[in-house]
Amino acid sequence: MSSSVKKQLYEALANADGKFLSGQALADIIGCSRTAIWKHIEELRKSGFELEAVRKKGYRLISKPDHLSDNEILFGLKTKTMGRKIYYFDCVESTQIIAHKAAREGAPEGTIVIAGEQTAGKGRMTRPWHSSKQKGIWMSMIIRPKLPPEKAPQFTLISAIACVRAIEEITGLEPHIKWPNDILYKGKKLTGILTELQGEADKVNFLVIGIGMNVNQRTEDFPENVKEIATSLEIETGLAVSKTKVIQKILTYFEKYYELYMEEGFAPLKIMWESYAAGIGKAIIARTLTGEISGVALGITDEGILKVEDKEGKVHHIYSADIEFPS
Ligand code: BTN
């Protein structure tokens, strides 16, 4: 079913405020047959909408696909390790904190911590991460790769590819990745990734990869200072999106790329990452802890480090920075 029919049908049912609309009324609104309406209703159900159908009354919308639970995520999940153990909470300070504790206490590889709401969500560089109730995916994944600690940042890039693939497949949108951890759609932030490491000088004990994805927010759900720079899947598609389905896809793709990485290293993922990257070949400003570098983004190294060429032709390797695209 085309997403515009799905959107029209959803809007008609949502505007009915929980009242029944007959198959004929819906067919008139959409401009198709009653049999086609029935098929479209089934499609909406598959996307996670709860709809009631009663003979002689028609259809009514019971809920949008935005309620999360561990059982729903497990149902239909076909991964081997990712998400096989799920801790779900309605409200926590930060899923990162819970995941670190669970990992210290021995939570297995692939464990995920998810919350409906975070009261103190953490972003990169100790920035707050706004995580409103049931509107987004607030998830931390625990993995235990046998690797030296310097490889940890590559997992931010691998997670970003998994998120982009999931978004593309579920919504048809084509977002971009801004190095190292932002997923943008038309320049606005859809998703942020925070990779935290617990390890020793020569080995990773575990990584906690936090993913914050804006899914069903409307513009008014964002705080004033975020409205201009953030967007959500619902804002961009005009449709509520099933968080469960997006999570399942993220876990599936992440597992696939994690396995590929452990077998073949970062090289195949680098190619994939660059195909989604925003700003390669363009002017950028990289703000690092030690200063600012302006130049042209050349891409990333085989280790996932950003390469920027300045006016004098010197190529800088950037390990950590905030990136800006000057207009
Ligand atoms: C960023 O863009 O700065 C990274 C944001 C990461 C947010 C996620 S939401 C789930 C997990 N729990 C947190 O407290 N932060 C990460």
Side-chain angles (χ1 to χ4, degrees), residues 94-96 118 120-124 129 138-140 181-182 189 192-194 210-212:
S94 156
T95 55
Q96 293 295 96
Q118 297 186 115
K122 297 199 285 176
R124 259 174 88 236
W129 179 261
W138 323 128
M139 166 168 90
S140 300
N181 75 320
D182 288 349
K189 186 151 169 171
I193 298 163
L194 174 69
I211 295 177

